[in-house]
Amino acid sequence: DGAPGSGRRFADRVLFVPRWNRPQSPFRLHGDSYYVGVQGLSSILIRTTEGLILMDGGLPQSARLIEGNIRKLGFKIEDIKLIVNSHAHYDHAGGLAWLQRASGAVVAASPSGADGLTAGKPVKDDPQYGTDGMDGAFPRVANVRVIKDGEEVRLGQTTITPHFTPG
């Protein structure tokens, strides 16, 4: 069905999937923010007046677990309007392509992150480029919105402001 982890391509290449990808019950962090990730990799959901913001998508195999956690909290994946990626590594971006298709959301990232997401692997300016012995490949993400350092990103009455850090 095209779901992440349905083939062996990515699952065989990630050494710590069992440890990183254990199911984790979702929970409220504070106010309108929720933890919806797996045990070893965080994904954060923010409820706004105009829909949901998701931060990071875990491994390719994490996407369905993240979707399940969103639904357990009473939200719909289709209500995600914006997905923000912290950095283009397989353990934070691997599930984004599937989550984007399932939700119809816009994916946003830094200029370098956007390059990595559309390429399906970290780019050469990434300090960890080439260090994992597998090029860090993950499913490519289509139509990535580039955001600038310090740019205010709004959805409804909620504003998030990304600040880029090296490494």
Side-chain angles (χ1 to χ4, degrees):
D1 68 357
S6 60
R8 307 250 340 141
R9 179 176 173 210
F10 296 102
D12 287 347
R13 297 165 74 173
V14 182
L15 299 176
F16 302 108
V17 170
R19 183 175 54 138
W20 289 354
N21 210 45
R22 290 184 183 132
Q24 165 68 52
S25 294
F27 56 91
R28 180 185 300 252
L29 292 168
H30 179 76
D32 287 325
S33 63
Y34 304 86
Y35 187 95
V36 294
V38 293
Q39 280 189 12
L41 300 166
S42 65
S43 291
I44 306 300
L45 189 72
I46 302 169
R47 181 175 53 187
T48 79
T49 57
E50 298 295 324
L52 303 170
I53 299 171
L54 179 66
M55 300 181 76
D56 282 343
L59 298 163
Q61 303 90 336
S62 304
R64 294 254 188 202
L65 296 170
I66 292 168
E67 177 196 20
N69 282 345
I70 290 167
R71 292 196 189 280
K72 284 178 189 173
L73 290 169
F75 300 116
K76 298 176 185 174
I77 193 165
E78 299 83 4
D79 291 337
I80 298 173
K81 305 301 180 199
L82 177 66
I83 300 172
V84 180
N85 179 236
S86 63
H87 59 288
H89 289 174
Y90 65 91
D91 56 339
H92 295 269
L96 293 182
W98 188 86
L99 290 162
Q100 180 188 46
R101 285 191 307 274
S103 67
V106 172
V107 173
S110 69
S112 178
D115 288 345
L117 292 176
T118 57
K121 62 182 180 178
V123 293
K124 290 186 180 180
D125 71 349
D126 186 317
Q128 294 182 24
Y129 177 79
T131 61
D132 61 9
M134 61 180 194
D135 295 329
F138 52 85
R140 293 178 183 190
V141 179
N143 304 318
V144 179
R145 173 183 165 193
V146 175
I147 51 178
K148 298 176 185 161
D149 185 27
E151 176 183 344
E152 293 185 346
V153 180
R154 288 188 172 85
L155 184 62
Q157 296 176 340
T158 301
T159 302
I160 60 172
T161 308
H163 295 281
F164 304 166
T165 58

